[in-house]
Amino acid sequence: MIRPVGGPAPGPAGVARARRAGGFHLPADAAAAAGGVAGTAGVGALFAMQEALTPRERDDAAQRRGQALLEEMEALRRDLLRGAMPAARLSRLAVLAEGEAGADPALREVVEALSLRARVELERHRIPGNGNSA
């Protein structure tokens, strides 16, 4: 069970009280409990969600993902032509590169090809040695 986190009331008076009291902090047992669950909860939730979706819902999600991939890659192309390379764009592309590919085999093939192209673009714009994007 998640326990409520206490702290000062919102607003200027609450901020002033938080500064005088040493700021916000989690109790040690709450921080440890949250850290152990965060890494595995996302993967399990993703698998559970995929099992709960119908093939049509999976295809709809894949179509939305494919469209978003196309839009982000087009925006990346425009950014490059302007001489810009926003890190936020690469971050969004990295998120979109993983996800639902759909139940329909033809749709799956198209979305996987778009995802591959997005990963290639991400690699092209990675700074060698530190893993950060340009």
Side-chain angles (χ1 to χ4, degrees):
M1 176 170 187
I2 298 175
R3 295 183 303 179
V5 177
V15 170
R17 277 194 303 272
R19 286 187 182 137
R20 285 192 303 268
F24 173 82
H25 68 282
L26 283 174
D29 60 338
V37 174
T40 58
V43 174
L46 179 62
F47 285 135
M49 182 181 76
Q50 286 179 339
E51 290 175 5
L53 296 177
T54 66
R56 182 68 206 153
E57 290 169 329
R58 289 180 60 204
D59 287 348
D60 289 345
Q63 286 176 353
R64 286 189 303 273
R65 179 174 163 240
Q67 185 62 41
L69 276 164
L70 286 171
E71 290 169 2
E72 284 299 323
M73 286 190 288
E74 175 61 21
L76 177 62
R77 184 187 69 82
R78 287 191 309 266
D79 289 343
L80 290 171
L81 288 172
R82 284 194 308 263
M85 180 50 61
R89 171 115 28 240
L90 294 174
S91 294
R92 286 190 301 270
L93 200 55
V95 169
L96 289 169
E98 304 299 324
E100 180 62 62
D104 179 76
L107 175 62
R108 177 178 292 278
E109 185 178 340
V110 169
V111 173
E112 287 175 350
L114 289 170
S115 178
L116 175 62
R117 181 64 192 160
R119 288 192 300 272
V120 167
E121 286 300 318
L122 289 167
E123 268 307 302
R124 284 183 62 214
H125 301 292
R126 188 174 63 89
I127 296 173
N130 67 6
N132 291 337
S133 53

